């Protein structure tokens, strides 16, 4: 799964030997690792809460796919927009985190707000009117998702079109499972963005399965990045387990977009840690082998566990001398099933941060029933 | 309004329906720098029917966007622009093609304000030529408003006069909510309905019906080109001593039930006429509402006259067969009055 | 139907709603070698709810096709297969996603027989889990049948018992016309409605309603899970001496108006209950039809109880607030009976 | 506008030096020229009839684009399917013409039937229920089109999927304007066809304009054949004015498809002779320059006239010695506006053939009004 770059148009852009990650400081590297813990712990916590019966709705775990979120978000400007979907829950509170976890000016949702949503409370940014990942925030430049896969890509294109009209230089990142790339609106939106050279970066989280359908039944080529070729835009493949490789590829795409060259696609190869949703774990384990008959779904899960993004990042930090081998073993969240982890496997500030959100959410009120009839229109109902 | 050859400079200038629309669009583009127009062939060409002719020359290709043939993307991008502060006017080249952007309309645009508990409103108008009686066949004749009336979060408007076209378009473009704007293509350049359309402040609020003809024997509620069919039928019926009150609804959602109720309280009879397929169409909705709110006033069952539950066929005779005609309206009115 | 632990081998085997569907699908796949199934995750996974579990193993991946996430292509390809002699069963993973294939349904599939003057019929069934009351929120709760009832050329079915699920699915799969099949996901595995479902010949013709409870004070027409809400309400009302007749429509198009009319002729009162948004929904259609055909029999205005004109919200209290409840039905029934 | 081949997968397939056209006999060449006249005369006749007020509905002229239809249809088997759209009217009666213009077994619509449709008569295969090009025939393996652009591509995929299930080897050709390639369903259907290697050949008639919108506002690359790259399928460009080049590229695609290798796209570059539809001629003439500011719409029309497919074909036939220079000038239909041609500009058998259709249609009855309510369902209405 070597990361490859194949771009008909970028040519010299990618010829540079210095990678974006080479400009990251030691502090950046440590912050990135910390963010991986944050994303992981958030998911682990939700899995546990769900198992305890405290949450409703389906949980689409982001476990094992955190490097994609952390790596892609880390270099964005505050003014940039994102459009996360079902498997990207941590993105909601992690946008713009580089600016400080709690800076009020930070353009990311607070952990309290996000937990308000997950716990289906009135503190949800959408007042618990739509479920789970279907929230967003204009203020924080997060596009509100719906269930309809790929449905927010044209919206993202419209957002940056408007921004450009206003003289802005915002880029938008949309997150998509590889399966959703088969939707017609994916094509319409990318085509439009390509025609107008809109700063839309399409991230494809290729975890090899769309629910119970493997890659070869969704697409005729191996790399979903190749979808880009039909639009004459760059399509690169990143190692989705390596947060720094994701950072590189996405930041190249972001700079390309911001400089007016247009949209591109970054495919991140990754693995699901469980089934499609938490209701699906048992069935998923029985999925028949993928096209590569030698790899069963179980083995794929195992491969994912072995290339846990936390381990991969730690290895790099140790190599760079930013982390001692001893420090690297202090918090051992990696490679474990959510239920096997304990709070001790995570840095305490990470646990505390998420706890704040959970506490706020559990204490928050549920919205009053009458709200169900409100806000169909701006000014009351006809 | 003399018909002499010497032009009277003080005579009011009569304009057609298309000009009414056009003026509202140009004036709003001028007044609202945050307004953007999107559609297929609306710029270089000026629109299939010329509604946006000259608009791109005046406001540039950034604000008047010639889109690829991608209805879903037109709507989705409009949603994104609205999310980021713009007012957007989208053209469907024919309203029939709205089906290709359907999901983005009902599930993305229509629900945005609801989903965000009022954080984000969607000042988007989707307009397009609609209606049958013109030999357009299955895909250039539709009145598909029912799909959207059953999809919460969308307002629906259908003017039938030049001044309403202008005034309602302006109101729609200033409305914070999504509005579907059904333009009747048969009326675009119809000379006999030309009239003054008002200036840059002419506005007709959504949700106010217009009594197109007063009467006391039967209330007919209708919209679009059927208004004219009903008026013609009313003329015929009047010679028989039957005086029909014809209500031009203009706006289906919000709906002016007060005007309908007041009329039915007076006439005690109700007929809804439209050209959409019958089942689950808006005529049935009107019957249900009148039944609900005016039952005690009714001397005859509230009725409806609609297109049959068929597509719109091409050959003229077939097309007219499945659509309400003036004769059908006359016949049905007689039946209800005699009931 | 004893409840003892020793199994009685001659005791009838009760099956759930999902099993009813499944049996019809498996038996028809066996009986009709020209039948093909298409959908997302229907093969390897066996469907999100398991309706097609084991089907691909039995009939192979050519006849049971795991499709890319492309609803429009699912429908369009089904149309092509039907054009070339196949019977096709399409799954929408949730009926809510049908919006993404909307154009292909209303403009391609539904009109094919009409456009070709009968040359080509479309034996296609589109099925999918539907309905609210389950915390599914906006996009996993819809009852969007009204869109398709207003689109000529589509039959619409919605069973609420295991035997109807089986019998109607079989009828749908043998019907030459396109059928939209609304499965109520809340009923899939509901133990208390389990019953015998009949063998490989069990078939329930489309267009025949079922009287779920006899009564003489009020006719309620409904379908889907509201049948159970209405039956529960009828139980409550019965203790007050009000006997409600509950009609489970089963099929909305074709519609069994004869059964409704006969009931209203007896009860003189009518209430339509469904969970779709009110405006232009099927409850209004029923009211309009009853008004039209039973006006002389009516002692009270025919009424409807529906979801409010809102999306389905997530939080339980909000969801229940916008949907008809047993209490709502009881209240409305009392009002109508006292009218 | 050199025709180029760029196919990631075909490699050796296209390496052969012998082109399909090299196998065509003299008779074939002459038949092809005759068919060009047929297609042209049909269009010319419709334009004239329309101007005389004898036809209703919009006429989307195929003038100048006939080489695409004739060249693509010439090598098909009877069992193959086609899916023509608005600008492809001649395709309806020209399918399978190589088998003889009037063989009853020929799987193409009769000229009488097609004219019945155009004249809106009961003899139309669809009994004049939908307009103009919106007909088809299962019997003749012609998919019934609708207005919704690209809407028949998934249908075409389904048709050949079913055929393959039945053990058939039919290929389907779908015709599409370049503008319609922006539709979502184009993407969904091609993706599906690519995944299942279905024998779907997508012909893109690139006449540089979609109604009033030029190429550069529809697509970000020059060649619409490049849309193929996103699906990993071959995409070739043909000179749409050269019937033999179209024949070559399409036949390669057809053989590729028939041999189980899967779908492909053939873009044919061509020119419109008039406006989008006959209502649009005057406005079209005023279209502003395309992206290449030096070429006005008028000049483009002129270029089209200069590379009239009939002239191009004649030139080739003369080169091959199949036509004398003198014979080549006998019928001078080429390079003329429809209204400037006379029947003498066409071979008499061509004029007679079309005349048969026109006569039959003018004499045919219109369908009775009641038919408007029929055939909504197979068995009466509910
Ligand atoms: C338009 C649409 N069709 C179907 C679904 C049902 N659905 C939800 S998630 C999913 C699979 C998504 O797979 P992928 O895009 O690869 O994302 P992943 O879950 O693997 O991250 C499906 C089919 C949907 N949400 N939207
Ligand atoms: C889905 C859809 N949207 C819009 C239209 C209106 N329309 C008809 S033809 C046309 C232009 C088509 O251009 P192209 O595909 O290049 O074909 P050409 O007419 O140039 O052959 C448009 C926009 C349509 N028929 N279908
Ligand atoms: Mg996936
Ligand atoms: Mg074109």
């Amino acid at each position: 799964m070597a990361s490859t770059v194949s771009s008909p148009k970028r040519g010299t852009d990618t010829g540079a030997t210095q990678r974006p990650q080479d400009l990251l400081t030691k502090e950046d590297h440590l912050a990135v690792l910390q963010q991986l813990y944050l994303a992981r712990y958030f998911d682990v916590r939700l899995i546990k809460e769900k198992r305890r019966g405290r949450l409703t709705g389906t949980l689409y775990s982001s476990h094992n796919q955190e490097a994609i979120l952390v790596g892609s978000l880390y270099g964005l400007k505050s003014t940039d927009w994102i459009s996360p979907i079902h498997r990207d829950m941590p993105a909601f509170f992690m946008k713009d985190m580089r600016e400080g976890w709690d800076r009020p000016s930070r353009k990311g949702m607070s952990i309290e707000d996000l937990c308000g949503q997950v716990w289906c409370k009135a503190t949800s940014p959408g007042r618990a009117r739509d479920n789970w990942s279907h929230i967003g925030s204009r203020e924080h430049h997060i596009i509100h998702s719906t269930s309809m896969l790929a449905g927010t890509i044209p919206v993202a294109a419209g957002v940056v079109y408007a921004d450009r009209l206003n003289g802005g230089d915002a880029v938008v990142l949309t997150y998509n499972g590889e399966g959703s790339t088969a939707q017609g609106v994916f094509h319409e939106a990318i085509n439009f963005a390509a025609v107008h050279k809109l700063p839309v970066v399409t991230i494809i989280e290729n975890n090899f399965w769309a629910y119970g359908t493997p890659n070869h039944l969704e697409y005729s080529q191996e790399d979903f990045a190749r979808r880009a070729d039909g639009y004459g835009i760059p399509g690169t493949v990143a190692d989705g387990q390596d947060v720094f490789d994701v950072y590189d590829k996405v930041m190249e795409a972001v700079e390309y977009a911001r400089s007016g060259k247009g949209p591109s696609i970054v495919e991140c190869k990754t693995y699901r840690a469980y089934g499609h949703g938490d209701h699906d774990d048992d069935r998923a384990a029985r999925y028949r082998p993928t096209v590569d008959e030698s790899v069963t779904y179980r083995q794929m899960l195992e491969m994912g566990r072995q290339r846990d993004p936390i381990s991969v990042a730690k290895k790099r930090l140790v190599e760079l001398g930013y982390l001692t081998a001893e420090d690297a073993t202090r918090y051992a969240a990696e490679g474990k099933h959510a239920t096997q982890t304990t709070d001790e496997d995570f840095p305490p500030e990470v646990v505390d941060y998420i706890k704040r959100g959970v506490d706020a959410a559990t204490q928050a009120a549920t919205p009053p029933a009458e709200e169900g009839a409100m806000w169909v229109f701006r000014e009351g109902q006809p | 309004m003399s018909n002499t050859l010497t032009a009277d400079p003080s005579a009011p200038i009569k304009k057609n329906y298309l000009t009414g629309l056009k003026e509202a669009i140009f004036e709003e583009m001028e007044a609202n720098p945050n307004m953007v127009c999107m559609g297929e062939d609306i710029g270089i060409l000026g629109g299939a029917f010329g509604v946006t002719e000259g608009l791109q020359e005046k406001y540039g290709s950034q604000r008047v966007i010639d889109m690829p043939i991608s209805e879903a993307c037109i709507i989705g991008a409009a949603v994104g622009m609205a999310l980021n502060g713009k007012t957007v006017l989208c053209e469907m080249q024919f309203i029939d093609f709205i089906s290709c952007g359907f999901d983005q309309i009902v599930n993305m645009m229509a629900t945005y304000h609801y989903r965000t508990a009022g954080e984000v409103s969607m000042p988007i108008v989707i307009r397009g030529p609609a209606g049958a009686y013109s030999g357009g066949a299955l895909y250039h004749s539709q009145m598909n408003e029912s799909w959207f009336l059953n999809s919460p979060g969308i307002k629906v408007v259908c003017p039938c006069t030049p001044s309403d076209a202008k005034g309602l378009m302006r109101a729609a473009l200033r409305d914070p909510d999504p509005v579907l704007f059904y333009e009747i293509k048969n009326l675009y350049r119809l000379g006999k309905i030309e009239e003054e359309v008002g200036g840059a402040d002419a506005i007709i609020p959504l949700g106010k019906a217009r009594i197109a003809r007063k009467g006391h024997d039967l209330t007919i509620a209708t919209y679009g080109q059927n208004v004219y069919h009903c008026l013609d039928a009313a003329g015929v019926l009047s010679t028989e001593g039957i005086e029909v009150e014809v209500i031009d609804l203009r706006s289906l959602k919000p709906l002016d039930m007060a005007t309908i109720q007041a009329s039915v309280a007076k006439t005690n009879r109700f007929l809804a006429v439209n050209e959409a397929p019958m089942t689950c169409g808006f005529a049935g909705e009107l019957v249900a509402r009148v039944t609900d709110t005016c039952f005690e006033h009714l001397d005859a069952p509230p009725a409806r006259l609609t297109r049959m539950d068929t597509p719109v066929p091409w050959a003229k005779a077939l097309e007219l067969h499945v659509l309400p005609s003036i004769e059908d309206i006359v016949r049905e009115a007689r039946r209800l009055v005699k009931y």
Side-chain angles (χ1 to χ4, degrees), chain A, chain B:
Chain A
M1 206 170 55
S3 80
T4 62
V5 177
S6 151
S7 147
K9 283 191 176 166
R10 287 172 83 170
T12 51
D13 294 313
T14 52
T17 49
Q18 193 171 48
R19 296 166 302 175
Q21 62 171 282
D22 298 332
L23 300 172
L24 293 177
T25 63
K26 176 178 177 184
E27 285 62 44
D28 286 322
H29 280 82
L30 291 170
V32 163
L33 176 61
Q34 199 77 333
Q35 288 191 20
L36 287 173
Y37 278 122
L38 253 187
R40 172 68 49 86
Y41 185 69
F42 180 72
D43 188 72
V44 156
R45 184 69 190 254
L46 296 195
I47 290 174
K48 291 182 179 175
E49 297 282 339
K50 184 81 200 288
R51 292 200 170 211
R52 287 187 200 116
R54 293 185 187 154
L55 302 175
T56 54
T58 305
L59 199 162
Y60 302 96
S61 171
S62 51
H63 192 139
N64 244 338
Q65 305 195 188
E66 299 91 345
I68 303 174
L69 302 175
V70 173
S72 60
L73 291 170
Y74 197 73
L76 291 191
K77 289 211 223 173
S78 295
T79 45
D80 292 333
W81 289 72
I82 61 168
S83 170
I85 51 155
H86 58 286
R87 209 170 291 290
D88 311 311
M89 286 303 278
F92 289 93
F93 76 93
M94 296 186 74
K95 173 165 191 283
D96 211 21
M97 239 184 182
R98 193 174 182 177
E99 300 298 304
W101 291 18
D102 282 311
R103 276 249 310 265
S105 64
R106 183 172 75 79
K107 281 210 185 250
M109 222 172 252
S110 74
I111 187 68
E112 288 84 357
D113 281 2
L114 179 60
C115 289
Q117 164 70 5
V118 174
W119 266 255
C120 195
K121 294 298 181 68
T123 50
S124 146
R127 298 191 70 81
R129 304 164 74 73
D130 198 0
N131 58 3
W132 217 247
S133 65
H134 301 161
I135 45 163
S137 164
R138 177 163 56 189
E139 185 192 341
H140 298 115
H141 287 199
I142 301 175
I143 296 174
H144 313 72
S145 70
T146 71
S147 276
M148 277 60 187
L149 295 169
T152 52
I153 313 182
V155 177
V159 162
V160 288
Y161 190 103
D163 183 76
R164 191 164 75 179
L165 267 185
N166 294 344
D169 73 346
V171 170
V172 62
L173 297 193
T174 75
Y175 297 90
N176 311 273
E178 85 294 341
S180 73
T181 64
Q183 276 286 314
V185 77
F186 171 93
H187 170 73
E188 295 197 1
I190 307 268
N191 185 57
F192 169 63
V195 165
H196 290 273
K197 294 198 182 302
L198 297 176
V200 177
V201 177
T202 301
I203 295 179
I204 299 178
E205 305 167 285
N206 181 4
N207 57 11
F208 294 95
W209 288 84
Y211 208 153
T213 302
N215 274 190
H216 72 285
L217 290 170
E218 307 169 42
Y219 189 39
S220 60
Q221 305 196 79
E222 197 180 317
D223 294 337
F224 281 74
R226 300 281 58 77
R227 291 229 185 261
D229 302 349
Y231 311 97
I233 62 171
T236 57
V237 178
D239 176 352
Q241 305 307 103
D242 178 352
V243 67
F244 298 108
D245 193 46
V246 171
Y247 178 78
D248 282 347
K249 304 288 162 53
V250 173
M251 286 315 116
E252 282 173 11
V254 164
E255 289 317 315
Y256 184 85
R258 206 186 304 284
S259 67
K261 293 188 188 136
S264 60
I265 292 178
V266 181
E267 175 188 2
C268 304
K269 308 259 192 202
T270 185
Y271 305 99
R272 289 198 314 218
Y274 311 105
H276 172 60
D278 62 313
H279 59 285
D280 182 49
D281 292 347
D282 300 338
R283 296 176 79 195
R286 287 187 282 118
Y287 290 166
R288 276 175 286 156
T290 63
V291 77
D292 177 359
E293 297 276 335
S294 62
V295 184
T296 66
Y297 189 75
R298 271 184 193 290
Q299 286 167 336
M300 201 185 89
L301 297 188
E302 199 38 51
M303 280 157 67
R305 256 191 283 282
Q306 277 161 21
R307 295 208 68 235
D308 187 307
I310 296 179
S311 340
V312 174
K314 278 187 183 170
K315 190 154 168 271
R316 178 85 185 127
L317 265 64
V318 171
E319 273 166 25
L320 288 167
Y322 295 160
L323 202 66
T324 65
E326 194 185 351
D327 281 348
T329 55
R330 180 154 328 140
Y331 305 113
E334 59 266 37
K336 291 183 183 167
H337 191 285
T339 54
Q340 293 166 343
T341 61
T342 66
D343 282 2
E344 282 64 47
D345 291 331
F346 296 89
E349 58 277 25
V350 162
V351 174
D352 288 350
Y353 191 80
I354 303 296
K355 184 170 183 301
R356 256 173 47 194
V358 174
D359 288 350
T362 46
Q363 284 152 31
T366 49
E370 301 73 50
E371 287 194 4
M374 288 169 64
W375 295 304
V376 174
F377 291 108
R378 174 72 153 252
E379 329 144 292
Q381 265 147 262
Chain B
M1 274 146 277
S2 70
N3 211 5
T4 58
L5 281 173
T6 42
D8 172 0
S10 71
I13 299 165
K14 291 181 168 197
K15 293 176 180 165
N16 65 21
Y17 184 97
L18 188 138
T19 306
L21 294 168
K22 210 170 155 157
E23 287 191 4
I25 295 168
F26 273 76
E27 289 163 11
E28 286 301 297
M29 279 293 274
E30 190 65 33
N32 179 0
N34 271 318
M35 180 173 152
V36 172
C37 297
M38 306 172 73
E40 294 153 18
D41 312 302
I42 65 164
I44 294 175
L45 177 68
F49 288 89
V51 174
T52 54
E53 187 128 19
L55 199 67
Q56 193 180 67
E57 273 155 47
K58 188 146 185 202
Y59 296 103
S61 62
Q62 296 305 303
R63 282 182 68 199
V64 182
I65 314 171
D66 270 320
M67 290 291 290
I69 307 175
S70 308
E71 285 77 9
C73 182
I74 292 174
I75 309 297
V79 168
M81 292 190 204
L83 170 59
N84 211 354
K86 302 293 174 193
T87 295
V88 192
L89 177 63
C90 300
E91 172 175 309
M92 298 283 109
Q93 196 158 89
F94 283 82
I95 208 69
D96 313 57
F97 305 141
I98 203 166
S99 52
C100 297
F102 190 76
D103 173 63
Q104 287 287 326
I105 295 177
V106 301
N107 284 320
M108 180 65 73
M109 179 187 78
T111 58
Y112 224 110
H113 191 258
Y114 187 83
R115 285 185 279 133
T116 61
E119 183 200 5
V120 181
S121 55
M122 286 281 129
I124 296 174
V125 179
I126 304 175
R127 49 162 290 272
Y133 299 99
S134 53
L138 285 87
Y139 308 113
H140 292 75
S141 306
Q142 295 179 12
M143 282 298 293
N144 45 32
E145 67 276 16
S146 179
W147 297 336
F148 305 103
L149 290 162
N150 191 248
S151 305
I154 309 172
K155 294 175 177 171
V156 177
V157 168
C158 181
C160 77
T161 68
S163 59
D164 283 356
K166 178 160 185 180
L168 288 169
M169 178 55 81
R170 188 188 310 287
L173 286 170
R174 294 188 181 177
D175 201 277
D177 298 313
V179 179
L180 260 185
F181 202 98
Y182 284 82
E183 300 173 2
I184 305 299
K185 57 179 173 295
N186 267 356
L187 304 179
Y188 274 153
R189 297 173 196 275
L190 191 68
K192 68 172 191 193
I193 66 167
E194 287 179 8
E195 61 178 3
E196 287 181 81
V197 299
D201 52 353
I203 187 162
I204 310 226
L206 307 187
K208 292 269 171 271
R210 176 180 70 95
I211 301 201
R213 179 183 174 121
K214 282 210 165 295
H216 44 73
D217 294 322
L218 168 69
T219 301
I220 301 186
T222 184
Y223 51 99
Q225 55 196 326
N226 282 313
V227 171
Y228 299 104
H229 300 149
C230 291
L231 287 173
D232 285 353
V236 173
L237 290 159
S238 182
T239 66
E240 303 172 11
I242 298 174
E243 293 303 333
V244 171
E245 180 141 310
V246 178
I247 301 178
D248 171 11
L249 295 173
R250 306 201 283 201
S251 154
L252 315 189
K253 203 187 222 178
L255 177 67
D256 185 353
M257 265 313 284
T259 295
I260 298 174
Q261 280 168 246
S263 179
V264 174
K266 180 174 68 175
T267 65
N268 311 117
R269 289 169 158 87
F270 180 76
L271 176 64
V273 180
N274 76 349
E275 52 172 296
M278 186 188 72
T279 303
C280 286
F282 194 62
E285 178 65 28
L286 289 169
V287 168
R289 293 198 186 198
V290 166
T291 302
D292 190 41
T293 58
C294 312
F295 193 66
E296 293 300 313
H297 292 296
L298 291 169
D299 290 341
R304 59 181 157 165
L305 206 51
T306 71
R307 192 207 306 169
M308 290 180 190
D309 270 344
T310 71
V312 178
W314 183 30
K316 200 79 208 154
L318 278 63
E319 181 183 22
L320 294 180
H321 181 68
V322 306
L323 287 165
S325 65
I326 297 169
E327 296 70 47
D328 293 336
I329 300 165
V330 168
R331 191 181 334 107
E332 191 63 6
R334 282 194 200 119
R335 180 182 77 83
L336 292 172
V337 170
K338 288 201 197 108
Y339 188 91

